[in-house]
Amino acid sequence: MKRMTLFLALVGCSLTACAAAQQPVTPEPAPTNRQIIRYDTIHHPAVSDRGMVVSQNDIASRIGADILAQGGNAVDASIATGLALAVTLPRAGNIGGSGFMLIHMAETKETIALDYYSAAPAVVDREVYRDESGKINRSNRYGYAGAAIPGTVAGFQRALENYGTMSWREVAQPAIDLARDGIVVSDDLHYALAAKRRVLSQDSGSRSVYFKPDGTLYAPGETIQFPDLAATLEAIADEGADAFYRGSIAALMDEAMSESGGFLKRTDLEGYAVYEDEPIRCPYREYVVALMVPPSSGVYVCQLLNILENHDVGDMGAGSADYFHVFAEALKRVFADRSVFTGGRPQFAMPVALLTDKAYADDLAASIDLQKATPFSEILPGALAPEEESRDTTHYSIVDRFGNAVSNTYTLGSSFGSGVTIPGTGVLLNDHIGNFALSVGEPGATGFQANPNNRPEPGKRAVSTISPMLVFKDDKLVLVTGSPGGTRIISAVAQVLVSIVDFDMNVAEATMAPRIHQLWSADEADSLQMERGHSMDTVRLLQRKGHDVEISPTFGSVQSIYVDGDTSYGAADPRRPGALAVAPD
């Protein structure tokens, strides 16, 4: 009897379960925040409701996060992070270089574009750049003659004074401690020093800093100290930017330049100016993208997005040949325009209104054949080909708990800049003179080196591919991003944005997704470059459309933060070793 009762109970349960299974099931509501951690995604971001710092170096990220934990805002943390990178990532982090910074202040809803890029000294003698054949050789950019006026310290001071909450001393002390006590040489730093050994060893100042007394390299795991840089940072902490542009550091730079044939003079340092502008605002679908003004390449990121907006790339699918075909064709048209419409401020005013005009982008988009690649020769204006630019830049993104944000990209130009370290300062100088058009008027000159809009003039900025980005939806900040990478910056930051907006990826997935890059060339020489990780089926389909595909090294190092209300989602790009997203404790 008990067995029968148990049998009937089991049958009853089964019948009930079956009946329930036949009833309509109301699915659980999907998470409203697509960035939330889910098990249907491969890559996941760091998550915090106290802010986030994402940079190319783990030590610098932690220093920025510590500043946030102490109550500093995103601007305070950005200066501390930038100064720390001058110690921990000397090939790109700097106080002897320059860059571009976007700042968003949540309370006032103000977004600021800060241009602290290098400017040409009053006198630049291009004869110094001639090689043995008598031709201007841009590769001769190393040494004292390669340095333009550094802008980093002036830019950091402008940001700190106008939008920060801490003192120079508070934001500089962590970097001072790092420089004085030393850092452990990582495999990445050892590799970078080995790669630039010839350039750095030619300068006595750099030899004394980056090599042992016997000339050998520091090995991974050994400690390298920067006492002169610590003293320079101490002076800046005490006196602010005046120490660098008018005080003791300026005097040492002027003396070294005079003795070594450099163009940079103390009067150039004293006259350096930071520009503060309204950013370019570029609508993309339901978002508004804030971008840097020229001579940054924000205008070309906007043009690229405007062209893409004409195509439903979301339906094409992430990683598809159709999407990459449209993206590559759009890049060809953007870089064709960039080759002729770009020049340095303040002497040259770029046609921003034209290049960011939606109707103009519509015409460019209409010229894209969805079935085959357009020959370079059929893309106008096509007068000049883009010059390859250095990839050795670095970017960091920061959001604080108040909703303020900083997107900052800065650079020495080439890896370790000019290779020159000013004696007694520990300051590595940039090599940005080489970014100017030194070959204007020379027979056979091509690219930006032949563009008269980019020739060096007193106080003029050179053109730059740097493109930090802030993205808004319904007037609320949703994305902070940017990248190093030379010309690849433009394509890298756009691909991250498209992956989030059109392909519904979280910020970590968008960061990890394999990228492509396409330049424009008058002589049909440029291939469609694709990172490893793309499907070979996709590669073959693109080849059938007429693309000359090349599997190439990685593109950029996109450090990003997605923001949803009070929550920040950070994604550090693993394409450069040591990158890390850190939340404050």
Side-chain angles (χ1 to χ4, degrees), residues 227-247:
D228 287 344
L229 182 58
T232 292
L233 292 170
E234 284 275 9
I236 295 171
D238 290 336
E239 305 169 39
D242 277 350
F244 192 91
Y245 293 93
R246 294 174 177 80

mmCIF file with all atom_site columns, all heavy atoms in Angstrom, residues 227-247:
data_model
loop_
_atom_site.group_PDB
_atom_site.id
_atom_site.type_symbol
_atom_site.label_atom_id
_atom_site.label_alt_id
_atom_site.label_comp_id
_atom_site.label_asym_id
_atom_site.label_entity_id
_atom_site.label_seq_id
_atom_site.pdbx_PDB_ins_code
_atom_site.Cartn_x
_atom_site.Cartn_y
_atom_site.Cartn_z
_atom_site.occupancy
_atom_site.B_iso_or_equiv
_atom_site.pdbx_formal_charge
_atom_site.auth_seq_id
_atom_site.auth_comp_id
_atom_site.auth_asym_id
_atom_site.auth_atom_id
_atom_site.pdbx_PDB_model_num
ATOM 1   N N   . PRO A 1 227 ? 67.229 59.336 -9.958  1.00 0.00 ? 227 PRO A N   1
ATOM 2   C CA  . PRO A 1 227 ? 67.376 60.432 -8.990  1.00 0.00 ? 227 PRO A CA  1
ATOM 3   C C   . PRO A 1 227 ? 67.218 61.822 -9.602  1.00 0.00 ? 227 PRO A C   1
ATOM 4   O O   . PRO A 1 227 ? 66.634 62.711 -8.969  1.00 0.00 ? 227 PRO A O   1
ATOM 5   C CB  . PRO A 1 227 ? 68.791 60.225 -8.432  1.00 0.00 ? 227 PRO A CB  1
ATOM 6   C CG  . PRO A 1 227 ? 69.497 59.383 -9.458  1.00 0.00 ? 227 PRO A CG  1
ATOM 7   C CD  . PRO A 1 227 ? 68.454 58.518 -10.056 1.00 0.00 ? 227 PRO A CD  1
ATOM 8   N N   . ASP A 1 228 ? 67.725 62.031 -10.822 1.00 0.00 ? 228 ASP A N   1
ATOM 9   C CA  . ASP A 1 228 ? 67.576 63.346 -11.456 1.00 0.00 ? 228 ASP A CA  1
ATOM 10  C C   . ASP A 1 228 ? 66.125 63.641 -11.776 1.00 0.00 ? 228 ASP A C   1
ATOM 11  O O   . ASP A 1 228 ? 65.643 64.770 -11.599 1.00 0.00 ? 228 ASP A O   1
ATOM 12  C CB  . ASP A 1 228 ? 68.413 63.425 -12.736 1.00 0.00 ? 228 ASP A CB  1
ATOM 13  C CG  . ASP A 1 228 ? 69.905 63.524 -12.456 1.00 0.00 ? 228 ASP A CG  1
ATOM 14  O OD1 . ASP A 1 228 ? 70.274 63.832 -11.303 1.00 0.00 ? 228 ASP A OD1 1
ATOM 15  O OD2 . ASP A 1 228 ? 70.702 63.279 -13.387 1.00 0.00 ? 228 ASP A OD2 1
ATOM 16  N N   . LEU A 1 229 ? 65.399 62.651 -12.236 1.00 0.00 ? 229 LEU A N   1
ATOM 17  C CA  . LEU A 1 229 ? 63.974 62.841 -12.526 1.00 0.00 ? 229 LEU A CA  1
ATOM 18  C C   . LEU A 1 229 ? 63.209 63.112 -11.234 1.00 0.00 ? 229 LEU A C   1
ATOM 19  O O   . LEU A 1 229 ? 62.285 63.940 -11.219 1.00 0.00 ? 229 LEU A O   1
ATOM 20  C CB  . LEU A 1 229 ? 63.407 61.614 -13.240 1.00 0.00 ? 229 LEU A CB  1
ATOM 21  C CG  . LEU A 1 229 ? 61.931 61.673 -13.646 1.00 0.00 ? 229 LEU A CG  1
ATOM 22  C CD1 . LEU A 1 229 ? 61.660 62.868 -14.553 1.00 0.00 ? 229 LEU A CD1 1
ATOM 23  C CD2 . LEU A 1 229 ? 61.504 60.377 -14.340 1.00 0.00 ? 229 LEU A CD2 1
ATOM 24  N N   . ALA A 1 230 ? 63.596 62.441 -10.157 1.00 0.00 ? 230 ALA A N   1
ATOM 25  C CA  . ALA A 1 230 ? 62.958 62.698 -8.858  1.00 0.00 ? 230 ALA A CA  1
ATOM 26  C C   . ALA A 1 230 ? 63.154 64.155 -8.449  1.00 0.00 ? 230 ALA A C   1
ATOM 27  O O   . ALA A 1 230 ? 62.219 64.816 -7.963  1.00 0.00 ? 230 ALA A O   1
ATOM 28  C CB  . ALA A 1 230 ? 63.526 61.761 -7.796  1.00 0.00 ? 230 ALA A CB  1
ATOM 29  N N   . ALA A 1 231 ? 64.361 64.678 -8.670  1.00 0.00 ? 231 ALA A N   1
ATOM 30  C CA  . ALA A 1 231 ? 64.638 66.079 -8.331  1.00 0.00 ? 231 ALA A CA  1
ATOM 31  C C   . ALA A 1 231 ? 63.827 67.031 -9.199  1.00 0.00 ? 231 ALA A C   1
ATOM 32  O O   . ALA A 1 231 ? 63.334 68.067 -8.722  1.00 0.00 ? 231 ALA A O   1
ATOM 33  C CB  . ALA A 1 231 ? 66.134 66.361 -8.479  1.00 0.00 ? 231 ALA A CB  1
ATOM 34  N N   . THR A 1 232 ? 63.674 66.705 -10.480 1.00 0.00 ? 232 THR A N   1
ATOM 35  C CA  . THR A 1 232 ? 62.863 67.525 -11.379 1.00 0.00 ? 232 THR A CA  1
ATOM 36  C C   . THR A 1 232 ? 61.406 67.535 -10.940 1.00 0.00 ? 232 THR A C   1
ATOM 37  O O   . THR A 1 232 ? 60.758 68.591 -10.904 1.00 0.00 ? 232 THR A O   1
ATOM 38  C CB  . THR A 1 232 ? 62.982 67.000 -12.819 1.00 0.00 ? 232 THR A CB  1
ATOM 39  O OG1 . THR A 1 232 ? 64.311 67.243 -13.290 1.00 0.00 ? 232 THR A OG1 1
ATOM 40  C CG2 . THR A 1 232 ? 61.994 67.683 -13.737 1.00 0.00 ? 232 THR A CG2 1
ATOM 41  N N   . LEU A 1 233 ? 60.884 66.368 -10.596 1.00 0.00 ? 233 LEU A N   1
ATOM 42  C CA  . LEU A 1 233 ? 59.501 66.292 -10.129 1.00 0.00 ? 233 LEU A CA  1
ATOM 43  C C   . LEU A 1 233 ? 59.327 67.030 -8.807  1.00 0.00 ? 233 LEU A C   1
ATOM 44  O O   . LEU A 1 233 ? 58.270 67.634 -8.561  1.00 0.00 ? 233 LEU A O   1
ATOM 45  C CB  . LEU A 1 233 ? 59.082 64.827 -9.997  1.00 0.00 ? 233 LEU A CB  1
ATOM 46  C CG  . LEU A 1 233 ? 58.956 64.055 -11.308 1.00 0.00 ? 233 LEU A CG  1
ATOM 47  C CD1 . LEU A 1 233 ? 58.780 62.557 -11.050 1.00 0.00 ? 233 LEU A CD1 1
ATOM 48  C CD2 . LEU A 1 233 ? 57.792 64.582 -12.143 1.00 0.00 ? 233 LEU A CD2 1
ATOM 49  N N   . GLU A 1 234 ? 60.350 67.014 -7.956  1.00 0.00 ? 234 GLU A N   1
ATOM 50  C CA  . GLU A 1 234 ? 60.321 67.785 -6.705  1.00 0.00 ? 234 GLU A CA  1
ATOM 51  C C   . GLU A 1 234 ? 60.200 69.275 -7.013  1.00 0.00 ? 234 GLU A C   1
ATOM 52  O O   . GLU A 1 234 ? 59.411 69.999 -6.382  1.00 0.00 ? 234 GLU A O   1
ATOM 53  C CB  . GLU A 1 234 ? 61.584 67.531 -5.885  1.00 0.00 ? 234 GLU A CB  1
ATOM 54  C CG  . GLU A 1 234 ? 61.630 66.212 -5.158  1.00 0.00 ? 234 GLU A CG  1
ATOM 55  C CD  . GLU A 1 234 ? 60.940 66.264 -3.801  1.00 0.00 ? 234 GLU A CD  1
ATOM 56  O OE1 . GLU A 1 234 ? 60.284 67.284 -3.501  1.00 0.00 ? 234 GLU A OE1 1
ATOM 57  O OE2 . GLU A 1 234 ? 61.064 65.280 -3.053  1.00 0.00 ? 234 GLU A OE2 1
ATOM 58  N N   . ALA A 1 235 ? 60.976 69.728 -7.996  1.00 0.00 ? 235 ALA A N   1
ATOM 59  C CA  . ALA A 1 235 ? 60.927 71.149 -8.368  1.00 0.00 ? 235 ALA A CA  1
ATOM 60  C C   . ALA A 1 235 ? 59.546 71.528 -8.898  1.00 0.00 ? 235 ALA A C   1
ATOM 61  O O   . ALA A 1 235 ? 59.012 72.598 -8.580  1.00 0.00 ? 235 ALA A O   1
ATOM 62  C CB  . ALA A 1 235 ? 62.002 71.459 -9.413  1.00 0.00 ? 235 ALA A CB  1
ATOM 63  N N   . ILE A 1 236 ? 58.951 70.660 -9.704  1.00 0.00 ? 236 ILE A N   1
ATOM 64  C CA  . ILE A 1 236 ? 57.613 70.926 -10.223 1.00 0.00 ? 236 ILE A CA  1
ATOM 65  C C   . ILE A 1 236 ? 56.586 70.917 -9.099  1.00 0.00 ? 236 ILE A C   1
ATOM 66  O O   . ILE A 1 236 ? 55.667 71.743 -9.064  1.00 0.00 ? 236 ILE A O   1
ATOM 67  C CB  . ILE A 1 236 ? 57.248 69.905 -11.321 1.00 0.00 ? 236 ILE A CB  1
ATOM 68  C CG1 . ILE A 1 236 ? 58.166 70.083 -12.539 1.00 0.00 ? 236 ILE A CG1 1
ATOM 69  C CG2 . ILE A 1 236 ? 55.789 70.041 -11.745 1.00 0.00 ? 236 ILE A CG2 1
ATOM 70  C CD1 . ILE A 1 236 ? 58.043 68.994 -13.572 1.00 0.00 ? 236 ILE A CD1 1
ATOM 71  N N   . ALA A 1 237 ? 56.752 69.980 -8.155  1.00 0.00 ? 237 ALA A N   1
ATOM 72  C CA  . ALA A 1 237 ? 55.837 69.926 -7.013  1.00 0.00 ? 237 ALA A CA  1
ATOM 73  C C   . ALA A 1 237 ? 55.900 71.208 -6.185  1.00 0.00 ? 237 ALA A C   1
ATOM 74  O O   . ALA A 1 237 ? 54.883 71.667 -5.650  1.00 0.00 ? 237 ALA A O   1
ATOM 75  C CB  . ALA A 1 237 ? 56.172 68.721 -6.140  1.00 0.00 ? 237 ALA A CB  1
ATOM 76  N N   . ASP A 1 238 ? 57.082 71.798 -6.094  1.00 0.00 ? 238 ASP A N   1
ATOM 77  C CA  . ASP A 1 238 ? 57.256 73.018 -5.297  1.00 0.00 ? 238 ASP A CA  1
ATOM 78  C C   . ASP A 1 238 ? 56.875 74.288 -6.049  1.00 0.00 ? 238 ASP A C   1
ATOM 79  O O   . ASP A 1 238 ? 56.274 75.208 -5.485  1.00 0.00 ? 238 ASP A O   1
ATOM 80  C CB  . ASP A 1 238 ? 58.709 73.140 -4.828  1.00 0.00 ? 238 ASP A CB  1
ATOM 81  C CG  . ASP A 1 238 ? 59.080 72.107 -3.782  1.00 0.00 ? 238 ASP A CG  1
ATOM 82  O OD1 . ASP A 1 238 ? 58.173 71.607 -3.098  1.00 0.00 ? 238 ASP A OD1 1
ATOM 83  O OD2 . ASP A 1 238 ? 60.278 71.784 -3.669  1.00 0.00 ? 238 ASP A OD2 1
ATOM 84  N N   . GLU A 1 239 ? 57.233 74.347 -7.343  1.00 0.00 ? 239 GLU A N   1
ATOM 85  C CA  . GLU A 1 239 ? 57.099 75.597 -8.102  1.00 0.00 ? 239 GLU A CA  1
ATOM 86  C C   . GLU A 1 239 ? 56.081 75.518 -9.237  1.00 0.00 ? 239 GLU A C   1
ATOM 87  O O   . GLU A 1 239 ? 55.814 76.532 -9.896  1.00 0.00 ? 239 GLU A O   1
ATOM 88  C CB  . GLU A 1 239 ? 58.462 75.992 -8.681  1.00 0.00 ? 239 GLU A CB  1
ATOM 89  C CG  . GLU A 1 239 ? 59.587 76.095 -7.655  1.00 0.00 ? 239 GLU A CG  1
ATOM 90  C CD  . GLU A 1 239 ? 60.942 76.215 -8.316  1.00 0.00 ? 239 GLU A CD  1
ATOM 91  O OE1 . GLU A 1 239 ? 61.023 76.927 -9.358  1.00 0.00 ? 239 GLU A OE1 1
ATOM 92  O OE2 . GLU A 1 239 ? 61.909 75.594 -7.837  1.00 0.00 ? 239 GLU A OE2 1
ATOM 93  N N   . GLY A 1 240 ? 55.538 74.336 -9.503  1.00 0.00 ? 240 GLY A N   1
ATOM 94  C CA  . GLY A 1 240 ? 54.611 74.195 -10.614 1.00 0.00 ? 240 GLY A CA  1
ATOM 95  C C   . GLY A 1 240 ? 55.330 74.254 -11.952 1.00 0.00 ? 240 GLY A C   1
ATOM 96  O O   . GLY A 1 240 ? 56.542 74.051 -12.058 1.00 0.00 ? 240 GLY A O   1
ATOM 97  N N   . ALA A 1 241 ? 54.581 74.568 -13.004 1.00 0.00 ? 241 ALA A N   1
ATOM 98  C CA  . ALA A 1 241 ? 55.127 74.572 -14.355 1.00 0.00 ? 241 ALA A CA  1
ATOM 99  C C   . ALA A 1 241 ? 56.212 75.622 -14.550 1.00 0.00 ? 241 ALA A C   1
ATOM 100 O O   . ALA A 1 241 ? 57.040 75.498 -15.461 1.00 0.00 ? 241 ALA A O   1
ATOM 101 C CB  . ALA A 1 241 ? 54.000 74.803 -15.365 1.00 0.00 ? 241 ALA A CB  1
ATOM 102 N N   . ASP A 1 242 ? 56.253 76.656 -13.711 1.00 0.00 ? 242 ASP A N   1
ATOM 103 C CA  . ASP A 1 242 ? 57.298 77.673 -13.840 1.00 0.00 ? 242 ASP A CA  1
ATOM 104 C C   . ASP A 1 242 ? 58.689 77.077 -13.727 1.00 0.00 ? 242 ASP A C   1
ATOM 105 O O   . ASP A 1 242 ? 59.634 77.544 -14.368 1.00 0.00 ? 242 ASP A O   1
ATOM 106 C CB  . ASP A 1 242 ? 57.123 78.765 -12.777 1.00 0.00 ? 242 ASP A CB  1
ATOM 107 C CG  . ASP A 1 242 ? 56.110 79.812 -13.203 1.00 0.00 ? 242 ASP A CG  1
ATOM 108 O OD1 . ASP A 1 242 ? 55.701 79.802 -14.379 1.00 0.00 ? 242 ASP A OD1 1
ATOM 109 O OD2 . ASP A 1 242 ? 55.711 80.632 -12.349 1.00 0.00 ? 242 ASP A OD2 1
ATOM 110 N N   . ALA A 1 243 ? 58.843 76.043 -12.892 1.00 0.00 ? 243 ALA A N   1
ATOM 111 C CA  . ALA A 1 243 ? 60.148 75.403 -12.744 1.00 0.00 ? 243 ALA A CA  1
ATOM 112 C C   . ALA A 1 243 ? 60.617 74.814 -14.068 1.00 0.00 ? 243 ALA A C   1
ATOM 113 O O   . ALA A 1 243 ? 61.806 74.842 -14.394 1.00 0.00 ? 243 ALA A O   1
ATOM 114 C CB  . ALA A 1 243 ? 60.073 74.306 -11.681 1.00 0.00 ? 243 ALA A CB  1
ATOM 115 N N   . PHE A 1 244 ? 59.665 74.317 -14.849 1.00 0.00 ? 244 PHE A N   1
ATOM 116 C CA  . PHE A 1 244 ? 59.990 73.660 -16.109 1.00 0.00 ? 244 PHE A CA  1
ATOM 117 C C   . PHE A 1 244 ? 60.197 74.655 -17.244 1.00 0.00 ? 244 PHE A C   1
ATOM 118 O O   . PHE A 1 244 ? 61.090 74.487 -18.069 1.00 0.00 ? 244 PHE A O   1
ATOM 119 C CB  . PHE A 1 244 ? 58.857 72.692 -16.473 1.00 0.00 ? 244 PHE A CB  1
ATOM 120 C CG  . PHE A 1 244 ? 59.195 71.738 -17.588 1.00 0.00 ? 244 PHE A CG  1
ATOM 121 C CD1 . PHE A 1 244 ? 59.751 70.504 -17.307 1.00 0.00 ? 244 PHE A CD1 1
ATOM 122 C CD2 . PHE A 1 244 ? 58.938 72.067 -18.912 1.00 0.00 ? 244 PHE A CD2 1
ATOM 123 C CE1 . PHE A 1 244 ? 60.061 69.611 -18.335 1.00 0.00 ? 244 PHE A CE1 1
ATOM 124 C CE2 . PHE A 1 244 ? 59.239 71.190 -19.939 1.00 0.00 ? 244 PHE A CE2 1
ATOM 125 C CZ  . PHE A 1 244 ? 59.804 69.952 -19.647 1.00 0.00 ? 244 PHE A CZ  1
ATOM 126 N N   . TYR A 1 245 ? 59.398 75.704 -17.280 1.00 0.00 ? 245 TYR A N   1
ATOM 127 C CA  . TYR A 1 245 ? 59.428 76.621 -18.423 1.00 0.00 ? 245 TYR A CA  1
ATOM 128 C C   . TYR A 1 245 ? 60.205 77.913 -18.166 1.00 0.00 ? 245 TYR A C   1
ATOM 129 O O   . TYR A 1 245 ? 60.567 78.608 -19.126 1.00 0.00 ? 245 TYR A O   1
ATOM 130 C CB  . TYR A 1 245 ? 57.990 76.955 -18.851 1.00 0.00 ? 245 TYR A CB  1
ATOM 131 C CG  . TYR A 1 245 ? 57.264 75.756 -19.406 1.00 0.00 ? 245 TYR A CG  1
ATOM 132 C CD1 . TYR A 1 245 ? 56.481 74.951 -18.582 1.00 0.00 ? 245 TYR A CD1 1
ATOM 133 C CD2 . TYR A 1 245 ? 57.372 75.398 -20.744 1.00 0.00 ? 245 TYR A CD2 1
ATOM 134 C CE1 . TYR A 1 245 ? 55.821 73.828 -19.073 1.00 0.00 ? 245 TYR A CE1 1
ATOM 135 C CE2 . TYR A 1 245 ? 56.725 74.292 -21.250 1.00 0.00 ? 245 TYR A CE2 1
ATOM 136 C CZ  . TYR A 1 245 ? 55.953 73.503 -20.411 1.00 0.00 ? 245 TYR A CZ  1
ATOM 137 O OH  . TYR A 1 245 ? 55.311 72.386 -20.904 1.00 0.00 ? 245 TYR A OH  1
ATOM 138 N N   . ARG A 1 246 ? 60.458 78.220 -16.928 1.00 0.00 ? 246 ARG A N   1
ATOM 139 C CA  . ARG A 1 246 ? 61.145 79.485 -16.629 1.00 0.00 ? 246 ARG A CA  1
ATOM 140 C C   . ARG A 1 246 ? 62.241 79.357 -15.581 1.00 0.00 ? 246 ARG A C   1
ATOM 141 O O   . ARG A 1 246 ? 63.061 80.263 -15.447 1.00 0.00 ? 246 ARG A O   1
ATOM 142 C CB  . ARG A 1 246 ? 60.122 80.537 -16.148 1.00 0.00 ? 246 ARG A CB  1
ATOM 143 C CG  . ARG A 1 246 ? 59.132 80.948 -17.214 1.00 0.00 ? 246 ARG A CG  1
ATOM 144 C CD  . ARG A 1 246 ? 58.046 81.862 -16.681 1.00 0.00 ? 246 ARG A CD  1
ATOM 145 N NE  . ARG A 1 246 ? 57.154 82.290 -17.744 1.00 0.00 ? 246 ARG A NE  1
ATOM 146 C CZ  . ARG A 1 246 ? 56.159 81.549 -18.240 1.00 0.00 ? 246 ARG A CZ  1
ATOM 147 N NH1 . ARG A 1 246 ? 55.925 80.349 -17.719 1.00 0.00 ? 246 ARG A NH1 1
ATOM 148 N NH2 . ARG A 1 246 ? 55.415 82.002 -19.223 1.00 0.00 ? 246 ARG A NH2 1
ATOM 149 N N   . GLY A 1 247 ? 62.246 78.269 -14.836 1.00 0.00 ? 247 GLY A N   1
ATOM 150 C CA  . GLY A 1 247 ? 63.147 78.139 -13.706 1.00 0.00 ? 247 GLY A CA  1
ATOM 151 C C   . GLY A 1 247 ? 64.354 77.270 -13.977 1.00 0.00 ? 247 GLY A C   1
ATOM 152 O O   . GLY A 1 247 ? 64.936 77.275 -15.072 1.00 0.00 ? 247 GLY A O   1
#
